[in-house]
Amino acid sequence: MSSPRAGRRRVTGSLRFRVTALAALAVLAVLTIVGVGITLTHRAVLTESLDETLGDRADTIADQLRAGAPVEGLDLSAEDVLVQVIGADGSVLAASPGLPVRLWPDAPRGTTVREGELPGHGAARVAATRVGGDTVYVAGSLEDVADSTRALRRSLLVAVPVSTAVLAALVWWLVGRVIRPVEAIRAEVDRISASRLDRRVPEPATTDEIARLAHTMNAMLDRLDLSAERQRRFVADAAHELRSPLARIRAELEVDAAHPDSADLRATHASVLEGAVTLQRLVDDLLLLARGDSGALRPGSAGPVDLDDVVDRAVRMQADPRVDARGVAPVQVVGDPEQLERAVRNLLDNAVRHARERITLTVSEVPGGVELAVTDDGPGVPPASAERIFERFARLDGARSAGDGGAGLGLAIARDIAERHGGSLSLSPHGASGARFVLTLPVAREEDARIASSAPG
């Protein structure tokens, strides 16, 4: 049972939480900046409107004075502004009720608006204009501007966090819906093990990245399942192939041990030696395939190789009079001579096991490469099994069976070597009895020969 602290760590460390937190922080920052901008703009607009009102009022009074209106007859009463008219000697010529004393002693050169103070009203904006030697001052309190700005600020202090919280909840819900298939995929992958590779992750009925991820994972699981099945079959077949010669060796040794007087030690030694050679050959083949599967069987000394020499060595090692290699032409291919010789020997071994009277080898250049053909006059291969014979431990009924002495690895190894050299190995129909295996390899270019000749050693 997980602790609450572990649960909190799991939540705070989830992609859903991180996306929601980042989105909320981004929105909060943006809304805060916008709110500050709105507040400053709001205050500036209200202040500018007040300045225009004060300036208009000051100009109106100045126009009346210029028109000859007596100062005593000016209407200076207003609810939103206060007016003072200061004479050239600094005396108060006229003032709104409540302004009996002079408040702004310095006179402007034109109509100006600036900050000021009003008794009992605090900060204010003051517009001033000259009329001859007199000065008209019109003041308006900034209290309404401050109250309006304060109200807007309070509204934003509530609206911004609430909007952020609502958006965070919406993002949390949306991200949850978006990544719900990911959680389903994770849960299914958690149930998959080496013994349950048949399970597959659910694929959403969409075309987005998550659906493509699920499809890719299922394709990967298909490959893993196929690889695991091949490995299980390979291990089972290998165990079976190893068990047969070991069982025969053990049985012969146990019989000789149980009946020493009638034991034929020479025959037993020969049989055990033959079984040991078979085991060694099988183990070598298994190790070779394992190295190829791990990628360690890449051509090590790839370069121009005289394929006719490789074929000649393989034929001499086979020493079978049925082999006819007169059709081998001198050509060069690119590859590792030891691996190529192994592939040719495997093809020859297969032909020798199944041929009746004749085995023919030909080497010739064809468009795009070099072709080595090994043909025997044996029982042949059914068309339906043309590809199956290249599988590991694959055997066919009839003449191509276990009784012929093969473990079913030679053709698989030969094809693997061919493909690692950029070539191919296939069973080619030729309209006659028997089988014809064709090994195709890339031909050596003149540049490869020059590089090989100039290499040290």
Side-chain angles (χ1 to χ4, degrees), residues 342-360:
R342 178 63 180 271
V344 175
R345 287 206 315 268
N346 287 0
L347 291 175
L348 273 177
D349 289 342
N350 178 76
V352 167
R353 281 198 302 271
H354 306 301
R356 294 188 179 95
E357 299 179 357
R358 186 179 180 83
I359 301 170
T360 304

Side-chain angles (χ1 to χ4, degrees), residues 236-252:
D237 291 339
H240 175 74
E241 294 294 335
L242 291 170
R243 183 171 54 194
S244 297
L246 284 174
R248 186 171 63 252
I249 292 173
R250 178 179 178 181
E252 292 181 357

Side-chain angles (χ1 to χ4, degrees), residues 29-40:
V30 171
L31 290 181
T32 300
I33 294 173
V34 171
V36 171
I38 290 175
T39 302
L40 296 177

